[in-house]
Amino acid sequence: MSVAITQSRQGPSEAPGALDRLGRYRLVCELGRGAMGVVYRARDPVIEREVAIKTIRVDLPRDEVALFEARFFTEIRAAGRLSHPNIVTVHDAGREGACCT
């Protein structure tokens, strides 16, 4: 599962399902879902900040996951170079176990 950690904004209050943690982040609720992945509202206990975590769907064929992962990290690098009030700031990205975080 690939994830990008950004500062959170308000959103729906849905349960995140069976997943309640991703790395050090405690998942609070699902904010949205699309063709590529899911975005969760989460809490970073180390710096006591609410964040948004964007993940890549893992229920896709392996070749599609690889394609989405490549696009995902391209998006992360591009967003990481930008600074604008209407663009989220990327705070973290990488892998969690067999998943990307």
Side-chain angles (χ1 to χ4, degrees):
M1 179 179 306
S2 300
V3 303
I5 312 303
T6 64
Q7 198 163 9
S8 178
R9 297 204 166 95
Q10 295 296 330
S13 234
E14 301 172 18
L19 194 61
D20 66 343
R21 285 200 165 282
L22 194 54
R24 74 174 192 245
Y25 303 97
R26 183 181 59 80
L27 302 182
V28 175
C29 67
E30 183 178 315
L31 294 174
R33 181 177 294 265
M36 188 166 145
V38 180
V39 178
Y40 297 98
R41 179 185 301 164
R43 182 91 180 141
D44 182 339
V46 174
I47 54 179
E48 298 180 348
R49 173 174 50 195
E50 200 169 79
V51 297
I53 299 180
K54 182 177 181 179
T55 64
I56 288 181
R57 290 177 42 197
V58 294
D59 61 338
L60 300 171
R62 191 179 293 259
D63 59 332
E64 284 188 49
V65 171
L67 176 63
F68 281 176
E69 186 175 312
R71 286 178 43 201
F72 185 80
F73 280 106
T74 298
E75 178 183 315
I76 290 168
R77 284 188 292 277
R81 292 185 190 108
L82 301 173
S83 178
H84 188 277
N86 295 330
I87 299 173
V88 297
T89 301
V90 176
H91 296 286
D92 193 7
R95 287 190 175 274
E96 175 65 27
C99 304
C100 296
T101 64

